[in-house]
């Protein structure tokens, strides 16, 4: 069995990673530039070739700087399921800063809390939580 990890190509991977680790909690686990890994000594030497960040617990996102003009698509969304409503609301609020809310997070007819948004970097997020009392 494999493990899927999202890989985001970014116009500014460092800024985007800083936003996600602040909004979702986490840290940059590793960061390598084209200069570090390939010995590049050109205009790409400081661009991120590979970055790994942990967010919202034991979740990992890989990132890299784009080497060509970036075209934002709408065919992919990242989703995080939280254990408590308060965690979901907090993450949703932070991710929505500077972005646009598609559906506010609220209890859905199918039983869970759900909301979606596009963050300020053009990434669509779906945030969910099971309806139960927060324990902490």
């Amino acid at each position: 069995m494999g493990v899927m990890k999202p890989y985001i190509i970014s116009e500014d991977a460092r800024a985007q990673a800083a936003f996600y680790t602040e909004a979702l909690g986490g840290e940059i686990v590793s960061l390598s530039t084209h200069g570090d890994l390939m010995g590049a000594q050109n205009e790409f030497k400081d661009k991120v070739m590979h970055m790994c960040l942990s967010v919202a617990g034991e979740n990992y996102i890989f990132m890299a700087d784009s080497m060509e003009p970036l075209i934002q698509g709408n065919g992919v969304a990242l989703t995080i399921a939280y254990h408590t409503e308060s965690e979901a609301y907090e993450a949703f609020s932070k991710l929505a800063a500077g972005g646009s809310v598609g559906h506010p997070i609220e209890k859905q007819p199918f039983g869970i809390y759900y909301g979606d948004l596009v963050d300020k970097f053009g990434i669509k997020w779906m945030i969910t939580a099971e309806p139960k009392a927060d324990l902490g």
Side-chain angles (χ1 to χ4, degrees):
M1 236 355 126
V3 175
M4 187 173 77
K5 294 184 178 116
Y7 206 109
I8 298 173
I9 307 302
S10 175
E11 292 178 348
D12 186 348
R14 286 178 178 91
Q16 198 166 348
F19 176 72
Y20 293 151
T21 57
E22 174 66 28
L24 300 171
E27 65 181 344
I28 295 173
V29 177
S30 65
L31 186 153
S32 299
T33 66
H34 286 266
D36 295 334
L37 295 177
M38 303 298 286
Q41 294 301 311
N42 54 30
E43 70 271 19
F44 302 121
K45 71 178 181 178
D46 295 325
K47 284 194 167 271
V48 175
M49 186 170 180
H50 182 76
M51 179 188 312
C52 176
L53 52 141
S54 67
V55 295
E58 302 268 334
N59 301 291
Y60 294 91
I61 298 174
F62 293 153
M63 298 185 74
D65 284 325
S66 177
M67 301 299 283
E68 55 194 18
L70 193 60
I71 299 170
Q72 299 289 343
N74 62 358
V76 175
L78 302 178
T79 184
I80 299 178
Y82 284 94
H83 295 291
T84 66
E85 296 161 34
S86 63
E87 288 176 312
Y89 276 100
E90 181 179 359
F92 188 90
S93 174
K94 288 179 178 179
L95 285 171
S100 62
V101 172
H103 297 94
I105 192 164
E106 57 192 9
K107 192 169 183 184
Q108 300 298 312
F110 46 88
I112 65 169
Y113 284 84
Y114 169 86
D116 64 65
L117 61 99
V118 175
D119 71 26
K120 66 183 180 181
F121 295 100
I123 301 296
K124 183 172 182 174
W125 291 86
M126 298 183 294
I127 305 297
T128 67
E130 293 293 327
K132 58 184 174 187
D134 286 347
L135 301 175

